[in-house]
Amino acid sequence: MDETDFSWRRWRRFFALRSDRPSPTLLDDESRMRAVPSSVARSLAIFQLGESGGGTVIEQARNSRICEIDDDYAEAMALFVAEEHRHAELLACCVRALRGELIRKNWTARLFVCGRRLIGLRLKVMVLLAAEVVGICYYHLLSARLPESGMRKLLQEIVEDEKAHLKFHCCFLRTQAHTGLQRIIFLIVWRVLMFAAAVVVLIDHRAALRDLAIPVNVVWKRWMVYSRTAENLVIQDNIRAMRSVAVR
Ligand SMILES: [Fe+2]
Ligand SMILES: [Fe+2]
């Protein structure tokens, strides 16, 4: 995508071009994957549940009166949600390959859904953005600890998708942060949201982090780096900041 053109039509086309990627298959050697701790399967099952929702945000984008968005934005949002559902499929493959079980309920997933339901489109997109930051870092760290495998590649593919999602949400939020006051409000809400998201994920996924020997401070630092990147994309009219999150 051309970094100098962030029109919603471009985003719609960007997501549409990726929409017919094939369904995932995993042909990993079972004996190698057996060495992966069972806590990883549970952790991925929680993320799988979190990637499965998102229908209401499409409706909200379609019915929104925010003047900076249009039908192309709503369609891009629908394609984005479809991409998240593909992630749910990919993660379901990973969970099954690790002989784990998919789940239907989880307190962090419920918190995330409540956050998305309570609020208007702007705040909803901020919740989605926090999920992207969490996902980018978490999937990346997890994949780096897995043996060379198809599962590792699937997780890396999700990381690249999440980077594009981060950029998409930042483009929207930037259109909503023109004035100094709007930027200050964004910063306060964003930092509180991001802090809360990071804490609940650390609590809920502590077993997998421990079993994979991923230090909490490493995860935290990565989240903060990406959180600041997202901040810069929203509050600074900075093309270089956009380029720092490579979209392939
Ligand atoms: Fe995702
Ligand atoms: Fe995403």
Side-chain angles (χ1 to χ4, degrees):
M1 176 177 290
D2 178 358
E3 288 91 346
T4 59
D5 185 345
F6 307 119
S7 72
W8 300 132
R9 184 169 297 182
R10 284 227 160 197
W11 275 111
R12 179 181 180 163
R13 208 178 307 146
F14 172 76
F15 284 121
L17 282 172
R18 295 150 47 117
S19 63
D20 59 352
R21 285 181 287 180
S23 288
T25 45
L26 262 185
L27 301 168
D28 283 334
D29 178 359
E30 255 188 55
S31 58
R32 284 183 89 191
M33 300 319 287
R34 220 168 276 157
V36 178
S38 59
S39 54
V40 176
R42 184 188 171 273
S43 180
L44 289 176
I46 295 168
F47 274 96
Q48 194 275 339
L49 185 62
E51 300 267 16
S52 308
T56 55
V57 77
I58 302 171
E59 278 313 298
Q60 216 156 354
R62 283 186 180 138
N63 300 326
S64 174
R65 291 186 183 172
I66 294 173
C67 59
E68 289 87 359
I69 60 175
D70 55 18
D71 291 347
D72 285 321
Y73 176 77
E75 194 47 44
M77 182 62 90
L79 291 163
F80 150 77
V81 170
E83 210 162 275
E84 295 294 21
H85 289 170
R86 183 170 179 274
H87 291 175
E89 271 184 61
L90 296 174
L91 292 173
C93 283
C94 296
V95 172
R96 287 192 201 102
L98 293 171
R99 297 188 301 171
E101 285 185 11
L102 297 177
I103 56 172
R104 289 187 175 182
K105 280 184 190 170
N106 171 261
W107 69 278
T108 49
R110 211 174 304 144
L111 266 182
F112 180 63
V113 170
C114 285
R116 287 192 319 217
R117 281 190 186 151
L118 273 175
I119 48 188
L121 185 62
R122 295 178 186 90
L123 276 169
K124 197 168 279 191
V125 171
M126 285 174 77
V127 173
L128 290 170
L129 182 59
E132 307 298 354
V133 170
V134 166
I136 288 168
C137 304
Y138 194 76
Y139 296 138
H140 177 74
L141 286 167
L142 222 65
S143 71
R145 294 297 198 283
L146 293 177
E148 192 59 56
S149 56
M151 189 178 300
R152 195 173 177 175
K153 286 197 187 95
L154 281 193
L155 290 175
Q156 285 164 351
E157 185 185 327
I158 296 178
V159 169
E160 292 309 314
D161 286 357
E162 307 297 27
K163 286 181 182 175
H165 298 173
L166 180 143
K167 214 168 154 182
F168 173 58
H169 299 320
C170 287
C171 281
F172 167 77
L173 291 168
R174 203 164 51 154
T175 67
Q176 305 303 302
H178 292 302
T179 67
L181 182 63
Q182 286 170 335
R183 289 173 189 193
I184 288 168
I185 292 170
F186 164 78
L187 274 182
I188 293 169
V189 178
W190 168 244
R191 289 188 181 184
V192 169
L193 253 178
M194 194 55 230
F195 180 81
V199 169
V200 294
V201 173
L202 277 183
I203 293 170
D204 208 14
H205 297 261
R206 64 192 181 282
L209 293 171
R210 182 197 59 220
D211 294 345
L212 289 173
I214 302 173
V216 167
N217 66 324
V218 169
V219 194
W220 191 269
K221 246 186 238 169
R222 291 216 175 200
W223 278 336
M224 291 311 121
V225 167
Y226 268 91
S227 166
R228 290 298 141 87
T229 302
E231 254 178 50
N232 290 338
L233 292 179
V234 174
I235 62 174
Q236 294 176 7
D237 195 15
N238 190 339
I239 299 295
R240 255 183 312 173
M242 276 289 174
R243 286 186 177 136
S244 73
V245 185
V247 177
R248 296 186 185 98

